[in-house]
């Protein structure tokens, strides 16, 4: 497949690395110059100006900041046959449609940097066969019923940072007793990984939590001590509602 990337930053680098070795022809735009140069060392990857990225590709990934996209997309040679997949935050379909006209096959997905190695969840709306063809073998494609549902995934994706922060706090605490930060980190990461199912299908998380709920046990005691953090988490996620255009009507207390 002929694939183009507009905006060659962190997420493009991860996606291109995730696609390498599959025989695709990939064009990346020249900015960021350093990232583009390192990707161009991969087989099948070339650097081209933005207009040639669009003209020379069947599938075009929009990996720009939304503010930059509004400036540069209107001048690019999109055509009706193009499949456009945006990964941009703050660029809803209503904004993208006029920017990419006459292309009408436009989808939004939410890749994460681990897409470079596979195993990345990829919520998408509307569903698009190109995403399955390119990333479906090694990643978890999750078609969404609406743009609102997709945007809620954007909010949930922010969970990664506070969870890693908590794991670091526990690692520091453990290392304070063992004197070995690397071994402490190895323990924490392996322990958490061991508790997570390879592919959760509904009910797996609550079943796992149930097993960690022995009355008087250390797990139950720490969870009780951290109970206020649950409200903080929900409040933080709810704070995304205006930015992600999520309705106020789904309040669950
Ligand atoms: N990083 C993530 O984990 C992630 C995950 C999901 C979605 N996203 C979304 O993906 C988009 C890109 O994020 P990112 O983290 O990859 O950001 P980034 O590393 O800053 O990449 C943005 C790229 O756009 C380039 N650019 C600026 N002006 C340009 C122009 N006129 N023509 C072509 N390219 C231009 C920048 O080049 P210069 O460096 O030369 O300015 C930079 O390489 C954002 O909308 C973000 O919300 C990111």
């Amino acid at each position: 497949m002929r694939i183009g990337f507009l905006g060659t930053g962190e997420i493009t680098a991860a996606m291109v690395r995730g696609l390498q070795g599959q025989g695709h022809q990939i064009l990346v735009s020249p900015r960021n110059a350093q990232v583009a140069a390192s990707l161009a060392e991969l087989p099948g990857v070339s650097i081209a100006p933005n207009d040639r990225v669009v003209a020379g590709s069947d599938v075009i990934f929009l990996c720009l900041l939304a503010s930059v996209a509004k400036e540069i997309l209107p001048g690019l040679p999109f055509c009706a046959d193009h499949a456009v997949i945006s990964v941009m935050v703050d660029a809803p379909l209503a904004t993208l449609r006029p920017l990419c006209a006459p292309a009408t096959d436009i989808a939004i997905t939410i890749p994460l940097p681990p897409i470079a190695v596979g195993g990345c969840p990829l919520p998408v709306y509307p569903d698009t066969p190109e995403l399955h063809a390119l990333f479906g073998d090694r990643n978890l494609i999750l078609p969404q019923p609406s743009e609102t549902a997709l945007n809620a995934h954007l909010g949930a994706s922010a969970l990664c940072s506070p969870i890693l922060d908590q794991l670091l706090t526990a690692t520091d605490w453990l290392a304070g007793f063992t004197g070995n930060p690397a071994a402490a980190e190895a323990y924490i990461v392996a322990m958490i990984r061991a508790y997570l199912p390879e592919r959760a299908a509904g009910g797996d998380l609550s079943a796992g939590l149930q097993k960690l709920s022995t009355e008087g046990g250390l797990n139950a005691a720490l969870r009780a001590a951290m109970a206020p953090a649950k409200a903080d988490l929900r409040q933080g996620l709810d704070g995304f509602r205006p930015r992600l255009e999520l309705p106020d009507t789904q309040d669950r207390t």
Side-chain angles (χ1 to χ4, degrees):
M1 214 181 279
R2 299 186 312 158
I3 310 161
F5 287 84
L6 290 173
T8 309
E10 183 186 358
I11 203 62
T12 288
M15 295 174 84
V16 170
R17 290 186 191 286
L19 288 170
Q20 69 178 294
Q22 298 173 41
H24 301 299
Q25 291 175 45
I26 299 176
L27 293 175
V28 299
S29 54
R31 289 180 58 182
N32 173 281
Q34 201 180 342
V35 179
S38 75
L39 293 177
E41 291 172 5
L42 301 173
V45 182
S46 311
I47 302 170
N50 291 339
D51 57 347
R52 282 217 290 118
V53 168
V54 172
S57 304
D58 305 308
V59 183
I60 298 147
F61 284 94
L62 307 181
C63 303
L64 300 153
L65 298 182
S67 55
V68 174
K70 282 176 191 157
E71 295 298 318
I72 69 161
L73 294 185
L76 297 178
F78 288 101
C79 68
D81 291 341
H82 278 137
V84 177
I85 303 178
S86 170
V87 309
M88 300 185 295
V89 178
D90 297 326
L93 286 171
T95 300
L96 293 173
R97 283 191 192 105
L99 295 176
C100 301
T104 54
D105 181 0
I106 303 171
I108 303 176
T109 189
I110 312 170
L112 303 172
I115 197 169
V117 291
C120 178
L122 283 169
V124 57
Y125 179 80
D127 198 7
T128 176
E130 284 78 11
L131 194 69
H132 291 261
L134 293 173
F135 289 106
D137 281 355
R138 298 171 63 197
N139 300 277
L140 180 62
I141 313 264
L142 297 165
Q144 296 304 307
S146 66
E147 194 166 2
T148 297
L150 181 83
N151 288 348
H153 286 75
L154 267 176
S157 73
L159 186 63
C160 297
S161 165
I163 292 288
L164 288 181
D165 201 27
Q166 286 196 344
L167 298 186
L168 267 176
T169 300
T171 299
D172 282 350
W173 183 86
L174 177 58
F177 294 98
T178 65
N180 188 336
E185 186 168 322
Y187 174 76
I188 296 286
V189 169
M191 175 187 69
I192 295 297
R193 183 174 286 140
Y195 268 101
L196 293 178
E198 181 67 24
R199 295 235 163 156
D204 288 331
L205 287 180
S206 52
L209 191 58
Q210 189 61 36
K211 286 184 191 149
L212 293 168
S213 299
T214 306
E215 204 176 322
L218 295 175
N219 269 276
L222 184 57
R223 201 159 90 234
M226 291 185 65
K230 284 169 69 167
D232 293 342
L233 174 58
R234 190 169 279 278
Q235 193 181 357
L237 291 170
D238 279 340
F240 294 144
R241 285 178 192 250
R243 179 172 173 183
L244 299 178
E245 298 182 5
L246 299 173
D248 291 328
T249 52
Q250 307 214 344
D251 277 324
R252 292 169 49 195
T253 49

